[in-house]
Amino acid sequence: YLSVKWLGWFVIILGIINIVALLVADLVMIATPMTQTVWENSMGAGTWAPIAAFDNSAFVTFSPAAVGPALLLAVGGMWPYLIMPVAGEVSQPSRNIPLSNVGGWAGIAGFFMLSAFAVEACMGEYLYGINVEGGVFPGFGNYAAVILGTNPLAWFVILCPIFASVLDSPSNALWVTRPMHSMAMDRFCPEAFAKVHPKYHVPHITLWFWLILSVGTVAYATALQFYFGTALASLIGVAYTYVFIRWQIALAAVSLPYYRPTLWERSGAWKILGVPLISIGGIVSGAVFFWAIIAYVPSLPYEVMFTIAVYVIGQLAYMYYGAKNKAKGIEMSAIFGQLP
């Protein structure tokens, strides 16, 4: 229900706080190599022994088979969406949307590499021992907090995931509610989802639907973890679905200049050596996504349950609304052919 103005300030202010916390954590780790003294100052005497005794020989040699799982989580958690897909809320979209995505990609890639360097520089050969035997959940803020000890900055950096999660909540609301609103306008969702609040001018029905599903998802994940200890496996299934969907988006990017030339031309029609830039990006990202999909084989049942559910529900909805529209004399090809 926030206006675009207040939502913008919310994202800007909390985004800066989150970036500062991440930078502080990275700089602390780069400046302070992890040693027995540093670790035991925070974690207690004797807690370094199992870390030092950990056999990391299975982790220090490069393994092509491990690239798939690593890409799955890294790519699944990488969202370069600095401008949200909200109709009418992006000024000069032909310029700002491509620039925001390129800038978002560059910024996220830079922070990923800086944080990876900081962790490796700080932990070195003890990284895997700390992850397995340290009793600290892996995370940049958590590692930096161990180094900082009683320093008040430890509380600031350890809250990095909280800052990011709160910052991401409006983005999730936008990503869920706006497409459902657009689909309802195109007769592919319940008509109630197309309604807009008369005062706040937001698709309030989809917002409440998203909120109910979010609460249900949290309850479901809590039950999985409490009774079966499988919440992480389900989360990996969500990341796997993200990567699978993004691979399909990459295929769409490759074909956009040829399948929808008008839309591509309106977005700038950028080229490199005569080849559409978006097609090049689609080929590169599609290769990465496809590698992550085939290199990592999800386990049954929790890691694949989410993916199967998403596609079964989507296919059933497509068939239902396709038949419903056809009965009204509305052809599917007419709907998709008229989309901008």
Side-chain angles (χ1 to χ4, degrees):
Y1 286 89
L2 293 174
S3 66
V4 177
K5 175 184 176 181
W6 289 109
L7 181 60
W9 279 113
F10 174 84
V11 172
I12 290 171
I13 294 173
L14 193 54
I16 291 174
I17 293 174
N18 192 34
I19 289 174
V20 170
L22 183 58
L23 283 175
V24 170
D26 289 342
L27 293 176
V28 166
M29 287 188 288
I30 292 173
T32 311
M34 184 61 70
T35 62
Q36 179 177 355
T37 302
V38 172
W39 181 266
E40 292 188 348
N41 278 343
S42 293
M43 305 304 292
T47 56
W48 183 257
I51 296 173
F54 181 78
D55 181 11
N56 64 359
S57 59
F59 302 97
V60 295
T61 303
F62 176 75
S63 170
V67 174
L71 281 177
L72 182 73
L73 291 178
V75 176
M78 184 172 178
W79 286 85
Y81 50 7
L82 297 190
I83 289 186
M84 307 305 170
V86 185
E89 296 179 8
V90 180
S91 62
Q92 302 183 34
S94 61
R95 183 194 68 177
N96 290 333
I97 289 180
L99 287 177
S100 72
N101 278 275
V102 172
W105 168 82
I108 293 174
F111 277 111
F112 270 27
M113 289 189 287
L114 176 62
S115 297
F117 172 77
V119 169
E120 291 287 348
C122 177
M123 306 297 175
E125 62 179 322
Y126 300 114
L127 174 60
Y128 299 101
I130 290 172
N131 286 343
V132 176
E133 303 289 349
V136 175
F137 189 82
F140 308 126
N142 293 346
Y143 294 145
V146 170
I147 296 172
L148 290 168
T150 57
N151 190 311
L153 274 177
W155 287 101
F156 179 58
V157 297
I158 207 171
L159 289 174
C160 272
I162 305 301
F163 295 145
S165 297
V166 174
L167 179 63
D168 206 29
S169 56
S171 306
N172 289 331
L174 290 172
W175 274 93
V176 173
T177 58
R178 266 48 177 196
M180 293 181 69
H181 170 73
S182 299
M183 290 171 66
M185 295 289 288
D186 291 318
R187 305 179 184 90
F188 269 90
C189 265
E191 294 180 4
F193 291 166
K195 293 182 178 180
V196 176
H197 196 282
K199 179 179 179 180
Y200 297 103
H201 308 293
V202 296
H204 58 294
I205 302 297
T206 57
L207 275 171
W208 283 105
F209 180 74
W210 165 78
L211 178 62
I212 293 170
L213 283 184
S214 298
V215 172
T217 301
V218 171
Y220 175 64
T222 302
L224 283 179
Q225 186 62 32
F226 185 78
Y227 292 107
F228 305 105
T230 55
L232 180 59
S234 298
L235 180 62
I236 294 174
V238 174
Y240 187 83
T241 307
Y242 284 167
V243 175
F244 193 83
I245 292 173
R246 290 174 197 179
W247 171 63
Q248 295 175 317
I249 294 175
L251 298 181
V254 173
S255 63
L256 179 67
Y258 313 102
Y259 183 64
R260 293 287 174 82
T262 303
L263 180 59
W264 172 65
E265 290 166 0
R266 287 173 55 192
S267 65
W270 295 358
K271 291 184 179 181
I272 295 180
L273 300 177
V275 181
L277 178 60
I278 191 171
S279 296
I280 297 173
I283 291 173
V284 175
S285 59
V288 173
F289 297 149
F290 193 58
W291 170 259
I293 292 170
I294 63 176
Y296 177 75
V297 180
S299 60
L300 295 171
Y302 297 101
E303 291 187 11
V304 297
M305 187 181 298
F306 185 84
T307 306
I308 294 172
V310 166
Y311 277 87
V312 168
I313 293 172
Q315 289 162 356
L316 290 175
Y318 183 86
M319 293 168 60
Y320 171 76
Y321 285 103
K324 186 176 180 180
N325 289 326
K326 192 175 178 96
K328 295 179 179 180
I330 303 171
E331 293 294 335
M332 302 280 281
S333 57
I335 294 177
F336 287 102
Q338 293 172 9
L339 292 179

